[in-house]
Amino acid sequence: MTDLKQLDLDLRAGRLSRRDFLKAAALFGLSAAAPSVLFGKPAYAASEPKKGGHLKIGTGHGSTTDSLDPATYENNCMQSVGKTIHNYLTQVAANGQLGSELAETWEASEGAKKWVFKLRQGVEFHNGQKMTANDVIASFKHHGGADSKSGAKVIVDAFSDLQADGDHTLLITLKEGNADLPYQLSDYHLAVMPANAEGKIDAKAGIGCGYYKLKNFEPGVKTSVEKFANHWNAGTVHLDSAEFITIADVTARVNALTTGEIDAADRMDVKTLHLLARNKNVRVIETSGNAHYSMPMRCDTDPYKSADVRLALKYAVDRNAMLETVLRGHGYVGNDHPIGRANRYLAKDLPQRAYDPEKAKFHLKKAGAEGLKVQLSTSDAAFAGAVDAAVLYKEHAAKAGIEVEIIREPSDGYWSNVWMKKPFCFCYWGGRPTEDWAFSTAYAADAEWNDTVWKNEKFNQLLLAARAELDEAKRATMYAEMQMLLSEDGGTIIPIFNNYIGAVTDKVGTPEVIANDWDLDGQRAVLRWWKTA
């Protein structure tokens, strides 16, 4: 069973697709059973849940510029805080399926342009106010409009009308049909908050209707929460309280975990992962999904206005070397678009771009940009190993005749001062569960987080058409073409998809199934984990 065991481990770690797993398993005469059926419970399965206790999470994210306004959430720390103190209309479960939260049911009509959401009754905000459809409307409107900087602006601006039909029915009319709307409404920005008499929310108050209420907020330092006794589903969470502690340095984060200063940590260092795994008091948790590292180039800035320059820079990266050097194999190579193995419409037939210095030189010559020199901003705030990745890329690009000057940026304020501002930098994305969500968030021409300022007319036409298309085969064809357009013309290099690697002490219990859409169990660790001692 050794070879089968390795297949299972490779599948869990993201080094093997489920399709390849099944092909390999067939060689051993096995059926298409799930790995958990073949090999029992996952290695991270723990004891039965216990009530009570305090959980300390050390996170590699967080900045002094963080705000409690959900529209501003831009790192894993604040996104996790948001999912802890807020509820959303819908949620994506650990198994990737869409589930209800504040909306109990939903129904579409007129080609997915009109939606009716039946809201849960008896929901109480942390200030004692009862939730109605008007609170949802006020919360959504906070993210829309010309002046909005919210990452959810592209979702909300697609609404042509929002109405309440009584206290617990929400009517949403869209400008264009969108079959994925219920998925999008689980976006971590779209927290439901209480509205005042004027129909406005106080976005920075930190008042939600989530399982935990805010106790203390020190941006870039620590955020503390405590259980909300009047939550409509309070019995399903286990902890009395928790805190998110920003520990940007991964070595300090690991030390805090191994010495018991914290109970859990995200973004473990793959270079020392084998040492951490030997610690009997620590469990490593690894999942694979759509998370990826990117290198956005601003297409409104020279030399990145040229599609040939962008292609040259894409051919100038050795993806396999970066996967092995930066991630030690804990992930898989990317193809310059954000659709990953966990997405439904991954274009598996799209040729994989390989490292090719000669093709890079060809496109540089075509662009009249021979002897190209670029500056690449980086910081381990982008992701653990981002500085090493920049050094590696510099070496790769040199063989293509490209001179890369590495600019090491301060970690604090990286997402405010570098990302979306510097013309060429490193970034990370948690990925999105649907293709439309991924494309709409960062690649649509008018997306607030279009960090490459890329505008492709054909891509945007397909985005609208695929969003409303209910024929599966036609939708798959459209999404495949969009992936091709991004890979060939888009403004970002996506060299590798990274696994989520965190760790907990033996005093923490976790469910058998860990979500793979974000760090820290889909950013819901406080809602799903428990203390064993």
Side-chain angles (χ1 to χ4, degrees):
M1 290 291 289
T2 301
D3 292 331
L4 284 174
K5 202 77 169 181
Q6 186 59 51
L7 284 175
D8 180 44
L9 292 173
D10 286 344
L11 178 63
R12 293 190 194 288
R15 293 185 284 272
L16 187 72
S17 71
R18 178 171 176 79
R19 181 176 65 175
D20 291 337
F21 169 85
L22 296 177
K23 286 181 179 179
L27 296 177
F28 294 92
L30 293 170
S31 65
S36 58
V37 175
L38 294 175
F39 306 117
K41 293 183 178 181
Y44 47 73
S47 60
E48 290 300 314
K50 291 178 62 176
K51 296 295 183 182
H54 179 76
L55 183 70
K56 292 183 178 181
I57 298 175
T59 174
H61 310 253
S63 171
T64 55
T65 60
D66 287 342
S67 165
L68 289 171
D69 181 353
T72 68
Y73 292 170
E74 60 185 9
N75 60 60
N76 191 53
C77 180
M78 291 311 301
Q79 292 161 17
S80 297
V81 169
K83 290 186 180 179
T84 302
I85 65 174
H86 293 296
N87 275 175
Y88 301 77
L89 285 198
T90 60
Q91 62 176 322
V92 178
N95 62 5
Q97 299 299 309
L98 184 67
S100 65
E101 194 160 80
L102 295 179
E104 292 187 313
T105 64
W106 47 88
E107 185 177 356
S109 62
E110 295 186 20
K113 287 184 67 173
K114 290 195 173 184
W115 290 83
V116 178
F117 290 84
K118 296 292 185 179
L119 305 181
R120 193 176 301 278
Q121 300 185 32
V123 175
E124 183 177 321
F125 289 105
H126 300 156
N127 63 359
Q129 184 174 324
K130 295 290 181 149
M131 185 201 73
T132 71
N134 288 325
D135 298 305
V136 180
I137 291 172
S139 298
F140 284 0
K141 285 184 175 180
H142 173 65
H143 300 273
D147 296 330
S148 173
K149 300 298 181 183
S150 171
K153 171 180 166 61
V154 67
I155 299 174
V156 175
D157 281 354
F159 301 166
S160 64
D161 191 35
L162 274 173
Q163 287 188 23
D165 183 8
D167 284 345
H168 299 101
T169 300
L170 176 69
L171 307 178
I172 300 179
T173 303
L174 303 175
K175 297 173 183 175
E176 303 287 344
N178 183 358
D180 288 337
L181 180 65
Y183 269 99
Q184 291 185 332
L185 296 185
S186 70
D187 186 287
Y188 55 79
H189 298 95
L190 296 175
V192 176
M193 294 167 284
N196 58 25
E198 287 74 42
K200 304 288 185 180
I201 60 166
D202 183 352
K204 297 181 179 180
I207 298 174
C209 57
Y211 290 88
Y212 291 82
K213 60 183 180 180
L214 188 68
K215 184 177 181 181
N216 182 60
F217 177 58
E218 299 176 66
V221 182
K222 181 173 69 175
T223 299
S224 302
V225 299
E226 58 186 2
K227 188 174 181 179
F228 179 46
N230 291 341
H231 188 272
W232 57 270
N233 202 22
T236 60
V237 296
H238 313 297
L239 300 164
D240 287 334
S241 56
E243 56 189 294
F244 298 90
I245 305 168
T246 294
I247 309 176
D249 181 75
V250 65
T251 301
R253 202 157 59 250
V254 171
N255 288 339
L257 183 73
T258 55
T259 58
E261 294 179 44
I262 58 176
D263 304 300
D266 62 7
R267 303 179 77 187
M268 294 290 93
D269 188 353
V270 294
K271 296 177 182 177
T272 59
L273 197 62
H274 64 291
L275 299 176
L276 189 63
R278 295 176 188 171
N279 190 322
K280 296 180 180 179
N281 299 319
V282 172
R283 287 188 292 119
V284 174
I285 298 174
E286 181 169 4
T287 60
S288 179
N290 298 329
H292 54 272
Y293 300 157
S294 68
M295 301 166 65
M297 303 169 275
R298 288 189 63 109
C299 297
D300 62 347
T301 304
D302 286 325
Y304 312 107
K305 291 179 180 179
S306 167
D308 280 295
V309 167
R310 299 196 296 268
L311 269 174
L313 291 168
K314 291 174 182 178
Y315 279 114
V317 58
D318 188 333
R319 297 158 200 269
N320 289 315
M322 192 169 286
L323 174 64
E324 294 304 319
T325 303
V326 178
L327 290 179
R328 304 296 173 97
H330 293 274
Y332 54 96
V333 296
N335 207 16
D336 302 326
H337 63 74
I339 306 307
R341 289 177 178 173
N343 283 119
R344 186 176 182 181
Y345 298 106
L346 172 63
K348 296 175 182 177
D349 295 331
L350 184 67
Q352 173 63 53
R353 178 164 290 119
Y355 178 47
D356 194 331
E358 294 306 312
K359 279 191 177 180
K361 291 177 183 178
F362 168 81
H363 286 286
L364 287 178
K365 184 176 182 179
K366 187 177 178 183
E370 293 168 293
L372 180 67
K373 297 180 181 180
V374 297
Q375 291 185 331
L376 176 59
S377 292
T378 187
S379 167
D380 280 347
F383 55 84
V387 174
D388 292 340
V391 173
L392 194 63
Y393 183 67
K394 177 183 175 75
E395 296 172 359
H396 298 163
K399 295 179 182 179
I402 301 170
E403 182 180 335
V404 177
E405 179 186 356
I406 298 172
I407 308 297
R408 293 196 60 167
E409 306 282 3
S411 292
D412 190 44
Y414 182 84
W415 299 108
S416 302
N417 304 322
V418 178
W419 179 61
M420 303 250 332
K421 292 182 173 61
K422 296 297 180 71
F424 191 24
C425 69
F426 274 101
C427 178
Y428 83 92
W429 288 90
R432 297 297 188 271
T434 71
E435 284 74 8
D436 182 76
W437 194 349
F439 292 146
S440 298
T441 299
Y443 300 94
D446 57 350
E448 189 63 31
W449 282 3
N450 181 358
D451 56 7
T452 63
V453 203
W454 181 66
K455 298 181 179 181
N456 182 289
E457 184 177 356
K458 178 63 174 178
F459 180 90
N460 286 285
Q461 290 173 349
L462 285 168
L463 181 64
L464 293 177
R467 183 178 295 159
E469 180 58 63
L470 299 179
D471 184 290
E472 292 292 311
K474 291 181 180 179
R475 208 173 193 208
T477 299
M478 291 177 187
Y479 284 137
E481 184 174 356
M482 293 169 76
Q483 290 168 64
M484 181 275 294
L485 287 170
L486 268 171
S487 184
E488 293 296 320
D489 184 65
T492 193
I493 304 169
I494 299 180
I496 48 180
F497 281 67
N498 62 292
N499 291 350
Y500 290 121
I501 307 175
V504 297
T505 70
D506 56 2
K507 296 181 180 179
V508 177
T510 63
E512 291 186 22
V513 179
I514 299 293
N516 63 4
D517 56 342
W518 297 101
D519 270 316
L520 296 173
D521 201 355
Q523 300 172 337
R524 294 177 182 266
V526 176
L527 310 184
R528 289 167 42 84
W529 297 0
W530 60 91
K531 294 294 288 289
T532 61

